[in-house]
Amino acid sequence: MSERILGPLSDRRRLGWWLFIGLLTIVAAFLAYSFVGMIVLGVFGYYATRPVNRRLRRTVESDSIAAGITVLVVVVPILLLIGYVGFNLFQQLQQAIGTGGPATFGLVDLSALPAAQRETVTTLLRDPTQFISQPQQTLQTVVQLGGQVLGAVGGGIVFLGLVVALSFFLLQNDVALSRGFRELFGGRDTTAYAYAIAVDEDLESVFFGNLLFVVAMSVIAVGTYEVTNLLAPEALHVPMVLVLGVLTGIASLIPIVVGKVIYLPIVAYLGSQAVRSGGSFLFVGGALVAYFLILDILPQTFLQPYITGRQLDMLVLMFGYILGPILFGWYGFFLLPIVFIVMLEAIRIILPELVHGEELTPDVSLGEGVGTDPQSAHEAPTGETTDTSPENDDTTTD
């Protein structure tokens, strides 16, 4: 009798909890949408460095120490290098446009200021003596502009700090998170777990491969540009070798495009130097051939097939790299490839059974050679050992 009375009450309570969970899901989705740039960059940092963290974890036998070393040795230097490249790029743009246009003045974006205030700042920067003739008004403008700059710099530092913290958290706790998700999905033999592990391994393959490829191509590009300067006639030289080398490495991620968007302008710049100084056009032509062979044929033919996205077709991911920034902004470069992988694995593992009305299985039903095989990935997911005994499930290496 009591079971009959408690049954409907229990159902209502479960419905209430489901509504509460649904509300929390909406809140979590809103937070993720609000900080999507930080999240996708932190996820990229995690997957791009996870193989390094796994090796360190086996050496130091501590999740925290391994994650800390990985962040300090890999993630932080990459962010510092990107900041250095961006800073030098803005400096060169400032020199190229002289004193700056109405929208930008060096590193400071003035387009957000009111027209009158923007004109005052531009006049001040072009003629600092205006500070003497109009001290009160100019001082107020300078203070406001300084506050905006400090706010932007402080916000950028906080943003990068949160990215590093998120990557560290994932590197430190990925084993525990994997165990928790495995229990939530119902074990290793479920379709949900097979789908999750396939997405997980694909993301590591793509992002870690991307990192290796960018580093390799950046080193090759920097060396190529340095050799160009060593062999070039006196009036010809390649400026900002490190900056252009890193940009060439990043551009090389995109198939077909590869480094053309960087080395072709460099060749044009060398050609303009040759025109002004009466230099050797033969050397410029030789540089173009060398760049084509080293920075174009080499990555597409040898490096890219073996390093970047070994389990996925890079022509498919190319659309993610190109369309992502167009659709979402800078973070789309990382977000849209993640979306593509999530969609791809759903099509490979789940969609065929749904279409045919068959029971869902953890096996790949479509495109077996395209992405990760979940069955082989079960052997050691997210750095765990293959020992799945209950006593080991509750232990940590920290």
Side-chain angles (χ1 to χ4, degrees):
M1 183 66 178
S2 60
E3 292 182 358
R4 294 179 181 177
I5 296 176
L6 292 177
L9 294 177
S10 178
D11 291 340
R12 286 195 292 270
R13 289 170 182 161
R14 291 178 64 87
L15 177 60
W17 279 114
W18 273 116
L19 292 175
F20 179 68
I21 293 297
L23 178 61
L24 293 180
T25 302
I26 294 175
V27 173
F30 173 76
L31 293 175
Y33 173 78
S34 302
F35 302 101
V36 61
M38 181 199 71
I39 293 174
V40 296
L41 195 56
V43 169
F44 168 78
Y46 165 68
Y47 280 109
T49 59
R50 189 170 72 177
V52 177
N53 182 68
R54 287 178 176 176
R55 289 182 177 273
L56 288 173
R57 183 180 294 169
R58 289 194 293 267
T59 302
V60 301
E61 297 183 352
S62 171
D63 293 351
S64 298
I65 296 177
I69 295 175
T70 303
V71 167
L72 292 177
V73 174
V74 182
V75 178
V76 173
I78 290 175
L79 294 176
L80 291 177
L81 179 60
I82 293 175
Y84 172 80
V85 170
F87 178 76
N88 281 270
L89 201 59
F90 274 114
Q91 279 191 325
Q92 293 299 318
L93 288 175
Q94 179 183 2
Q95 294 179 6
I97 63 177
T99 57
T104 181
F105 203 115
L107 296 179
V108 181
D109 183 11
L110 304 181
S111 60
L113 296 176
Q117 194 176 60
R118 183 170 63 245
E119 180 63 25
T120 301
V121 175
T122 304
T123 303
L124 169 64
L125 293 175
R126 287 175 177 170
D127 184 11
T129 59
Q130 293 290 327
F131 184 78
I132 300 176
S133 60
Q134 298 176 347
Q136 183 175 0
Q137 179 182 359
T138 306
L139 179 60
Q140 182 180 3
T141 302
V142 170
V143 171
Q144 291 177 350
L145 181 60
Q148 289 185 348
V149 172
L150 291 177
V153 172
I157 293 175
V158 172
F159 176 83
L160 294 179
L162 292 175
V163 169
V164 172
L166 178 59
S167 298
F168 174 81
F169 172 80
L170 294 175
L171 290 170
Q172 180 186 24
N173 299 283
D174 58 351
V175 174
L177 291 173
S178 174
R179 290 170 179 164
F181 280 117
R182 186 177 67 223
E183 294 301 322
L184 179 64
F185 293 150
R188 296 180 184 271
D189 298 327
T190 61
T191 304
Y193 186 80
Y195 172 72
I197 200 66
V199 170
D200 180 74
E201 292 296 321
D202 281 348
L203 289 175
E204 179 184 306
S205 175
V206 170
F207 287 150
F208 180 62
N210 286 346
L211 179 62
L212 290 181
F213 185 67
V214 168
V215 170
M217 284 306 304
S218 298
V219 172
I220 293 173
V222 169
T224 302
Y225 299 148
E226 286 287 1
V227 171
T228 301
N229 287 339
L230 290 176
L231 301 179
E234 184 176 353
L236 275 63
H237 75 283
V238 178
M240 299 189 303
V241 170
L242 178 59
V243 174
L244 293 176
V246 173
L247 292 177
T248 303
I250 296 174
S252 298
L253 280 174
I254 306 175
I256 302 176
V257 175
V258 202
K260 295 183 182 71
V261 295
I262 305 299
Y263 75 73
L264 287 181
I266 291 177
V267 173
Y269 180 73
L270 292 175
S272 66
Q273 289 180 329
V275 170
R276 291 194 302 267
S277 62
S280 174
F281 290 97
L282 181 61
F283 178 83
V284 177
L288 175 60
V289 173
Y291 292 166
F292 176 74
L293 294 176
I294 299 174
L295 305 178
D296 207 318
I297 298 300
L298 175 65
Q300 291 191 87
T301 306
F302 299 100
L303 292 181
Q304 204 166 47
Y306 295 100
I307 296 180
T308 306
R310 290 163 290 178
Q311 298 169 338
L312 296 171
D313 189 350
M314 283 304 298
L315 289 176
V316 176
L317 292 175
M318 176 184 68
F319 292 98
Y321 292 128
I322 295 177
L323 298 179
I326 296 176
L327 291 175
F328 304 107
W330 66 267
Y331 60 84
F333 190 85
F334 307 98
L335 176 60
L336 202 55
I338 295 176
V339 175
F340 274 9
I341 291 174
V342 170
M343 294 170 59
L344 174 66
E345 292 302 340
I347 294 172
R348 295 176 64 238
I349 299 175
I350 301 173
L351 184 61
E353 281 78 8
L354 292 178
V355 172
H356 298 151
E358 300 173 354
E359 183 180 357
L360 296 178
T361 66
D363 300 322
V364 175
S365 304
L366 183 66
E368 295 182 0
V370 177
T372 298
D373 180 9
Q375 299 302 325
S376 62
H378 284 175
E379 296 178 2
T382 61
E384 292 184 78
T385 61
T386 55
D387 186 358
T388 58
S389 57
E391 59 270 21
N392 286 337
D393 281 347
D394 296 329
T395 60
T396 61
T397 58
D398 193 8

